[in-house]
Amino acid sequence: SKSPSPRQNMPVRYFIMKSSNLQNIEISQHKGIWSTTPSNERKLNGAFWESTTVYLIFSVQGSGHFQGFARMGSSIGCEKSQDWGSAGFGGVFKVEWIRKESIPFHFAHHLLNPWNDNKKVQ
């Protein structure tokens, strides 16, 4: 039900979203929302408006796994959520979870990030 947009010929973008705990990811999977630090908001909003699709790949810091991935479903607004109970987060935005599964980093070690000195994606 998405209408055509001026971004339909733009590239797909991917971001690794690091969470400090699993509870935040579980809240996101249940409610279909996410919030990030204000320093990330500009990058994500720019990607949302300039790309056809923005995929967010989630990982809890120190877990050695990805916990799944989602599609960014809206731009980031000013509305904040009390769900995370932490100061320092910016506005809330919609995410559409595609896969909710714990995947060890070693399954992705063949993927290298050319914008991060060809380091492994994890």
Side-chain angles (χ1 to χ4, degrees), residues 9-119:
N9 294 321
M10 300 303 283
V12 173
R13 298 284 306 272
Y14 301 86
F15 293 89
I16 304 289
M17 304 303 295
K18 292 288 190 176
S19 177
S20 60
N21 61 65
L22 185 58
Q23 182 182 3
N24 289 350
I25 290 177
E26 290 170 345
I27 291 167
S28 176
Q29 290 174 342
H30 177 71
K31 293 192 170 192
I33 59 173
W34 188 250
S35 185
T36 188
T37 60
S39 62
N40 288 335
E41 288 183 347
R42 198 167 109 197
K43 291 178 200 172
L44 289 174
N45 270 340
F48 181 79
W49 291 113
E50 296 168 4
S51 306
T52 55
T53 306
V54 177
Y55 290 107
L56 306 175
I57 304 158
F58 292 87
S59 176
V60 175
Q61 291 174 344
S63 70
H65 289 72
F66 297 110
Q67 280 70 41
F69 66 98
R71 181 180 309 111
M72 193 172 171
S74 72
S75 62
I76 303 167
C78 296
E79 179 187 342
K80 297 193 181 219
S81 173
Q82 298 303 314
D83 289 309
W84 283 273
S86 172
F89 286 115
V92 173
F93 60 101
K94 293 179 184 177
V95 293
E96 302 160 12
W97 280 86
I98 298 165
R99 187 103 185 224
K100 302 173 187 177
E101 183 176 347
S102 183
I103 303 166
F105 287 159
H106 69 82
F107 282 112
H109 277 178
H110 65 287
L111 300 174
L112 304 177
N113 184 347
W115 293 280
N116 190 19
D117 298 326
N118 283 321
K119 292 181 181 173

